[in-house]
Amino acid sequence: MPKGKRAARGTPLRELLRIPVGEPVDLASYDAAATPGGPADKKAGLTATAALAPRLAELQERLYAASTAGDRRRLLLVLQGMDTSGKGGTVKHVIGYFNPSGCRIHAFKAPTKEERAHPFLWRVTRALPLPGEIGIFDRSHYEDVLIARVRGLAPPVELENRYGEIARFEESLADDGVTIVKVFLHISYEKQRARLLERLDNPDKHWKFNEGDIEERALWPAYQEAYEIAMRRCATARTPWYLVPADRKWYRNWAISTLLLEALEELDPRYPPGDFDVAESRRRLLAT
Amino acid sequence: MPKGKRAARGTPLRELLRIPVGEPVDLASYDAAATPGGPADKKAGLTATAALAPRLAELQERLYAASTAGDRRRLLLVLQGMDTSGKGGTVKHVIGYFNPSGCRIHAFKAPTKEERAHPFLWRVTRALPLPGEIGIFDRSHYEDVLIARVRGLAPPVELENRYGEIARFEESLADDGVTIVKVFLHISYEKQRARLLERLDNPDKHWKFNEGDIEERALWPAYQEAYEIAMRRCATARTPWYLVPADRKWYRNWAISTLLLEALEELDPRYPPGDFDVAESRRRLLAT
């Protein structure tokens, strides 16, 4: 929700956070420290997030249970954002509410030699969730139009083609029962500096730091532009982007938990009926 | 720990639960409702288990961090046990304490056509945790000497060879830095009946039930014997089996959490030092 707009009470969070489809995107118009639709403060935010956990876990179990009876539906959370925007923290704090056996998490790194030898969507396809699962992409196919664009890792014509390929790929996933929740974790330039400094100032966090992070930071404007283009060109009514202000970690966790809850509630998966005679099975079991 | 034995205070749980290596195993001598070394009752057990969570999460982070600097060590929890013994419940309740992004969970089902076309350890090798990860096998290569033996799914000569192959495979994993925690979830024949009845009596659990469960139950003695043989023949000082009494879910969760904690504490992984000049990186970062 751009600065200055206010939402009516009771509006689903996804409506507040959805980036308008088919319009130019101006990231500078969004406040990274905002808390649209959220609890009043950090304390209330932590309490509210924890309170969502049982419902998230139950809906996940229903989704999985339904898949055992042929329901192909599944969820895919795509996390994108600048370094330190909280992709890893989201997996730890939000996905931790789910049963880990039903989550399929993939962190996309620089492509390997084998991955580079295939079309860019090849490795993405292999990491998709199965029916009943919740998939989580920590980075994704969007890197192929983000770092690839900023760093010139592919010829311009190929880069140009990728937007359409991504849009069609995501539409085909939606056709196959995948609810895609694409989240851009929006942090400010200043907050990134503060978080990188935290890593430098704590020896237990040095392993998370590398000098390349500072070089990437120098390309901030180019990345913001690459995100704006990708979000405009790769969004449809069924596959929109959500912008989650991420300077405040408690809001980020609450917002993503809530987006997932709204998606699961809309799916409304049901425990499937058994395909056996309960009375007969009961009789046989009691005879053992 | 067989019935009637008592442990000295302060004995590590793994010593209490380790099945003696190189001796015949008699499962009937272990009480499935026992709580060796454990808290006094369910309430205390739930509290004690929750209290382990922060330490488990921190050690997992250290293990992962160490791997980024070349440490190859990792943990592999192997869960075996009869139907309803709580393999899935363990993943949900114990593995839920960890950061899901560092866990590699694999539930082994009946082998696919492709898996059957390969040696039986092929699919197991592909599911192993990477350095720094915690792997969890819900069932494992032991099925190839359990159901395969009971149901006669392989020729006797091949079955016979598998014990040695498994023992050598696990030794080679240990050589490569894998700490294997093999857990047999020991439930009683009566408790299994009660848990299957629960599934029948709750429509929301019908999806977990199938009639084949009753047929498998009829083979209980053959399975117990197959377990006894496997545990005797596939255990070394470095790759022992642990017997966790599993009639009480709170004890099962406490015991497995504690076994994992003891294993991680022995590994004692450390955050690696950074390979960069902190003062210089700080200066460069503040200039942005």
Side-chain angles (χ1 to χ4, degrees):
Chain A
M1 186 170 60
K3 289 171 190 167
K5 294 205 181 171
R6 304 205 64 182
R9 280 185 72 87
T11 309
L13 188 66
R14 58 184 167 180
E15 291 185 21
L16 296 184
L17 300 184
R18 187 188 297 126
I19 295 178
V21 173
E23 298 173 22
V25 180
D26 176 18
L27 289 179
S29 71
Y30 293 88
D31 178 2
T35 60
D41 56 23
K42 180 175 178 179
K43 192 180 166 200
L46 295 177
T47 305
T49 307
L52 300 174
R55 185 87 183 123
L56 286 169
E58 195 204 325
L59 284 162
Q60 181 200 15
E61 183 172 276
R62 286 174 183 263
L63 185 70
Y64 184 80
S67 78
T68 66
D71 192 331
R72 288 185 60 77
R73 294 180 302 168
R74 62 216 110 137
L75 210 58
L76 174 60
L77 174 66
V78 173
L79 294 170
Q80 287 285 167
M82 301 295 287
D83 284 338
T84 77
S85 62
K87 300 180 289 294
T90 299
V91 174
K92 182 174 172 180
H93 294 288
V94 177
I95 304 309
Y97 290 135
F98 292 110
N99 183 334
S101 69
C103 297
R104 188 173 295 260
I105 304 170
H106 194 86
F108 289 91
K109 313 283 186 189
T112 63
K113 192 179 170 190
E114 185 185 23
E115 288 169 349
R116 286 198 311 273
H118 287 282
F120 77 101
L121 291 173
W122 178 76
R123 65 175 184 160
V124 180
T125 308
R126 290 160 59 96
L128 289 171
L130 298 178
E133 290 183 340
I134 295 177
I136 301 96
F137 284 178
D138 174 347
R139 302 187 188 270
S140 67
H141 42 295
Y142 281 95
E143 293 299 326
D144 296 291
V145 290
L146 293 167
I147 190 170
R149 180 189 178 96
V150 172
R151 294 276 187 185
L153 304 181
V157 172
E158 183 177 338
L159 275 172
E160 182 59 29
N161 283 339
R162 286 181 182 174
Y163 297 105
E165 289 184 67
I166 288 173
R168 286 189 297 276
F169 171 64
E170 293 181 354
E171 281 287 315
S172 75
L173 291 181
D175 287 342
D176 195 33
V178 181
T179 297
I180 313 178
V181 179
K182 295 187 286 185
V183 169
F184 174 64
L185 296 170
H186 183 48
I187 58 163
S188 62
Y189 187 67
E190 295 69 32
K191 181 60 81 174
Q192 187 191 59
R193 184 196 298 114
R195 290 187 180 167
L196 288 172
L197 272 177
E198 269 175 42
R199 292 183 182 176
L200 282 175
D201 290 345
N202 181 350
D204 284 356
K205 292 190 175 180
H206 282 179
W207 66 279
K208 291 188 179 186
F209 185 87
N210 75 74
E211 293 166 293
D213 296 346
I214 299 176
E215 287 153 34
E216 285 289 286
R217 178 169 164 78
L219 299 169
W220 185 279
Y223 273 106
Q224 299 290 302
E225 188 191 15
Y227 269 110
E228 289 171 347
I229 296 168
M231 289 193 274
R232 177 169 57 81
R233 298 194 55 182
C234 304
T236 67
R238 289 200 299 172
T239 63
W241 270 96
Y242 299 98
L243 183 145
V244 171
D247 273 7
R248 299 175 202 266
K249 293 177 182 176
W250 66 263
Y251 176 78
R252 173 201 79 202
N253 290 340
W254 174 83
I256 297 176
S257 301
T258 301
L259 287 174
L260 293 175
L261 184 60
E262 288 178 0
L264 285 165
E265 284 180 335
E266 184 174 22
L267 292 179
D268 192 22
R270 303 298 176 98
Y271 289 114
D275 58 353
F276 51 89
D277 181 329
V278 176
E280 167 66 10
S281 289
R282 216 171 183 289
R283 191 193 58 69
R284 284 179 59 206
L285 181 57
L286 287 172
T288 66
Chain B
M1 188 170 59
K3 286 172 191 167
K5 294 207 181 170
R6 304 206 64 181
R9 279 185 73 87
T11 309
L13 188 65
R14 55 185 169 181
E15 290 184 22
L16 295 185
L17 300 184
R18 188 187 297 124
I19 295 178
V21 173
E23 299 172 22
V25 180
D26 175 18
L27 289 178
S29 71
Y30 293 88
D31 178 1
T35 60
D41 56 24
K42 180 175 178 178
K43 193 181 167 199
L46 296 176
T47 305
T49 307
L52 300 174
R55 185 88 182 121
L56 286 169
E58 195 204 325
L59 284 162
Q60 180 200 15
E61 184 173 275
R62 286 174 183 263
L63 186 71
Y64 184 81
S67 77
T68 66
D71 191 333
R72 288 185 60 77
R73 295 179 301 168
R74 61 216 111 136
L75 210 59
L76 174 60
L77 174 66
V78 173
L79 294 170
Q80 287 284 167
M82 302 294 288
D83 284 338
T84 78
S85 63
K87 301 180 290 293
T90 299
V91 174
K92 182 174 173 180
H93 293 288
V94 177
I95 304 308
Y97 289 135
F98 293 110
N99 183 334
S101 69
C103 297
R104 190 174 294 261
I105 304 170
H106 194 87
F108 290 91
K109 313 284 186 186
T112 63
K113 191 177 170 192
E114 185 185 23
E115 288 169 350
R116 287 198 310 273
H118 287 282
F120 77 101
L121 291 173
W122 179 76
R123 65 175 185 161
V124 179
T125 307
R126 290 160 60 96
L128 289 170
L130 298 178
E133 291 183 340
I134 296 177
I136 300 96
F137 284 178
D138 174 347
R139 303 186 187 271
S140 68
H141 42 294
Y142 282 94
E143 293 298 327
D144 295 292
V145 290
L146 293 167
I147 190 170
R149 179 188 178 96
V150 172
R151 293 278 187 184
L153 304 181
V157 172
E158 183 177 338
L159 274 172
E160 183 59 29
N161 283 338
R162 287 181 182 174
Y163 296 105
E165 290 186 65
I166 289 174
R168 286 191 297 278
F169 170 65
E170 293 181 354
E171 280 288 315
S172 75
L173 292 181
D175 288 340
D176 195 34
V178 181
T179 297
I180 314 178
V181 180
K182 295 187 286 184
V183 169
F184 173 65
L185 296 169
H186 182 49
I187 57 165
S188 62
Y189 188 67
E190 295 69 32
K191 181 60 81 175
Q192 187 190 58
R193 184 195 297 114
R195 289 187 180 167
L196 288 173
L197 272 177
E198 268 174 45
R199 292 182 181 176
L200 282 175
D201 290 344
N202 182 348
D204 284 356
K205 293 189 174 179
H206 282 181
W207 66 280
K208 292 188 177 185
F209 184 87
N210 76 73
E211 291 165 295
D213 296 345
I214 300 176
E215 287 152 34
E216 285 290 286
R217 179 169 163 77
L219 300 169
W220 185 278
Y223 273 107
Q224 299 291 301
E225 187 191 18
Y227 268 110
E228 289 171 345
I229 296 168
M231 288 193 275
R232 176 168 58 79
R233 299 195 55 182
C234 304
T236 68
R238 290 200 298 171
T239 63
W241 270 96
Y242 299 99
L243 183 144
V244 171
D247 273 7
R248 299 175 202 265
K249 294 178 183 176
W250 66 263
Y251 176 79
R252 173 200 78 202
N253 291 340
W254 174 83
I256 297 176
S257 301
T258 301
L259 287 174
L260 293 175
L261 184 60
E262 288 179 359
L264 285 165
E265 283 179 337
E266 183 174 25
L267 292 179
D268 193 23
R270 303 297 176 99
Y271 289 115
D275 57 353
F276 52 89
D277 181 329
V278 175
E280 168 66 8
S281 289
R282 216 171 183 289
R283 192 193 57 70
R284 285 179 60 207
L285 181 58
L286 287 172
T288 66

